[in-house]
């Protein structure tokens, strides 16, 4: 079950997306999130979807893998859709059962919300699939470096993030091992009331916590043995440099953003109109 | 006490994904009641996966695990009951300790079995005695114990379920020679006292040679060899092919034979046998018979 969390796992491949400067990718991902929420009408949402699909194909990451990143958020996705289905109003009434009414407006809002969440997850997991955690935090450190002026220790923050990301798979593996070991002693995790099931997690969580602290202490020792003393005067093996393709990516993104804003402004209700007429 | 039989067992990790990997393929063997069996194999040969298949922690892709003739997966809901009868001690079991006291931790398995409190307490005491854990330590927190004591407490946690088949995955890994000796003696003691079969995985050929009555050799997920230690360790070529080695004592005797001592007997694999053989050669050598 825990293996399903592919979010935040680098997938090695040779693609223009992999070669893009991580700073640019980070900025574009944040930009994409903004654009996804800016996209209010069907045409602009479809525009974003099309671009994201094209970029995914460009990244040479198997489509199945990217879709797998949606699995953990599926409950959230369904919940949001269902709530919007009943609460959003407008349009014609499609179905009415007791006090619950489903309107065409509700259907559309639910669909939009679900699509937005999907796009958010796909977009951000594309970043983590094509960028190694080290590159990512390196980019973050560079982008946040102006904050050093306000005495924010950007380097330490970036280092903490790198370590946290690096240890997610390790801790997942550890959880699986401990779960299997406690099951071997007859731990029953699958049956009983909610309270019983939560209590059944104690034999797993305590060893996991202890092992996390042990690992942290060992890692700190190992870092100190290699004379780590924070970011002061630390140089890099890999210097980040912007290339023409980074500029191209930025331009492409600006075009998308402009397209979305224009579609919002001039093409509202285009698909909605079609949809309503067909109904 | 029941026999454990495995028929055509296979297991695949990540079936249907690009990371698909067959860990165990078409493995069959029988562990008779009361037998001590050693399992050897190179890293990644599927030992740990096989060990997890035996108590039904993993569901085989093909094949069956039979305990006393019953298929443990016949009823999916009842598979948990078999885990009390086929006890598995994982690698580095000390990392699973969790309870407030050593006593409660050892009693976790028996409590899960639904035994009465007095019975749980009695089993905890018996298990602690088998692993040589002093009574006074039972009231301590498991996290206050030394490394070796933690390992023994964790093993006691499985012994307390009094399984008919005890499986240990590298029980001596990371221990000093004295600690290793204690664990091996404990394996023998549990086997002698309860008549349970014991299956243990080891990277140390010398440990396997010293304790096992039979050896299973795994290579790339398959059962490459099986038989009594004398027979298995005589097949040096096959062992090399599985990236394994024979015990150091066997190697020394083989080297002596190559160095011009044709009278050295082969098929000896324990320290005692090797010492006796070298003493015999030495005595004969003095008489001028062979060298």
């Amino acid at each position: 079950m825990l293996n399903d969390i592919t979010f935040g796992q680098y997938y090695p491949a040779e693609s223009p997306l992999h070669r893009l400067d991580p700073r640019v990718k980070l900025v574009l991902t944040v930009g994409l999130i903004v654009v996804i929420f800016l996209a209010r009408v069907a045409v602009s949402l479809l525009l974003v979807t099309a671009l994201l699909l094209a970029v995914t194909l460009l990244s040479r990451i198997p489509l199945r893998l990217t879709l797998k990143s949606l699995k953990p958020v599926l409950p959230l996705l369904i919940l949001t859709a269902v709530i919007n289905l009943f609460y959003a109003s407008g349009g014609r009434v499609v179905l009415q059962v007791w006090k619950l009414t489903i309107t065409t407006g509700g259907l559309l809002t639910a669909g939009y919300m679900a699509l937005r969440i999907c796009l958010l997850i796909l977009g951000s997991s594309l970043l983590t699939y094509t960028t190694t955690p080290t590159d990512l935090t390196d980019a973050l450190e560079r982008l946040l470096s102006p904050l050093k002026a306000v005495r924010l220790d950007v380097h330490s923050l970036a280092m903490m993030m790198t370590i946290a990301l690096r240890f997610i798979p390790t801790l997942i593996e550890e959880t699986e091992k401990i779960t299997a070991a406690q099951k071997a002693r007859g731990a029953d995790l699958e049956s009983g009331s909610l309270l019983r099931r939560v209590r059944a997690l104690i034999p797993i969580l305590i060893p996991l916590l202890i092992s996390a602290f042990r690992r942290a202490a060992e890692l700190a020792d190992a870092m100190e043995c290699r004379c780590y003393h924070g970011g002061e005067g630390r140089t890099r093996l890999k210097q980040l440099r912007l290339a023409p393709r980074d500029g191209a990516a930025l331009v492409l993104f600006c075009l998308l953003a402009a397209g979305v804003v224009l579609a919002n402004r001039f093409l509202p209700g285009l698909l909605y109109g079609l949809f309503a007429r067909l109904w | 006490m029941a026999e454990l039989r495995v028929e055509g067992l296979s297991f695949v990790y990540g079936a249907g994904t690009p990371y698909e990997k067959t860990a165990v393929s078409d493995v069959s063997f029988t562990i008779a009641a009361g037998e001590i069996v050693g399992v050897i194999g190179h890293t990644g040969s599927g030992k740990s996966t096989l060990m997890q298949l035996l108590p039904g922690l993993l569901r085989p892709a093909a094949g069956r695990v039979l305990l006393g003739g019953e298929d443990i997966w016949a009823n999916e809901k009842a598979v948990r009951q078999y885990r009390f009868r086929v006890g598995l001690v994982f690698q580095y079991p000390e990392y699973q300790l969790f309870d407030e006291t050593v006593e409660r931790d050892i009693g976790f398995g028996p409590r899960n079995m639904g035994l009465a409190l007095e019975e749980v307490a009695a089993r905890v005491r018996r298990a602690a005695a088998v692993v040589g854990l002093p009574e006074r330590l039972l009231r301590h927190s498991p996290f206050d114990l030394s490394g070796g004591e933690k390992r023994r407490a964790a093993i006691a946690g499985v012994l307390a379920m009094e399984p008919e088949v005890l499986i240990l995955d590298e029980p001596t890994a990371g221990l000093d020679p004295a600690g290793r000796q204690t664990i091996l003696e404990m394996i023998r003691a549990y086997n002698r006292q309860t008549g349970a079969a014991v299956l243990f995985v080891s990277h140390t050929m010398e440990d396997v040679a010293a304790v096992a009555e039979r050896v299973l050799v795994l290579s790339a997920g398959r059962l490459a060899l099986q038989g009594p230690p004398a027979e298995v360790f005589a097949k040096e070529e096959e062992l090399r092919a599985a990236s394994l080695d024979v015990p150091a004592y066997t190697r020394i005797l083989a080297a002596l034979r190559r160095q011009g001592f044709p009278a050295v007997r082969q098929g000896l694999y324990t320290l005692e046998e090797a010492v006796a053989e070298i003493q015999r050669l030495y005595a004969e050598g003095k008489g001028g018979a062979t060298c």
Side-chain angles (χ1 to χ4, degrees), chain B residues 61-78:
Chain B
R64 297 193 297 170
V65 179
L66 302 155
L67 183 65
E70 305 158 45
D71 185 347
I72 66 167
W73 283 102
N75 176 2
E76 211 166 305
K77 295 231 166 64

Side-chain angles (χ1 to χ4, degrees), chain A residues 210-223:
Chain A
I210 287 168
S211 119
F213 277 113
R214 183 173 43 82
R215 274 179 204 284
E218 279 171 7
L219 184 69
D221 284 346
M223 284 167 81

Side-chain angles (χ1 to χ4, degrees), chain B residues 234-255:
Chain B
K235 296 177 178 161
E236 210 179 322
E237 296 279 298
E238 277 107 318
L239 286 174
R240 288 264 151 79
S243 310
L244 291 170
D245 214 338
V246 296
Y249 319 122
T250 314
R251 278 209 305 279
I252 291 170
L253 294 179

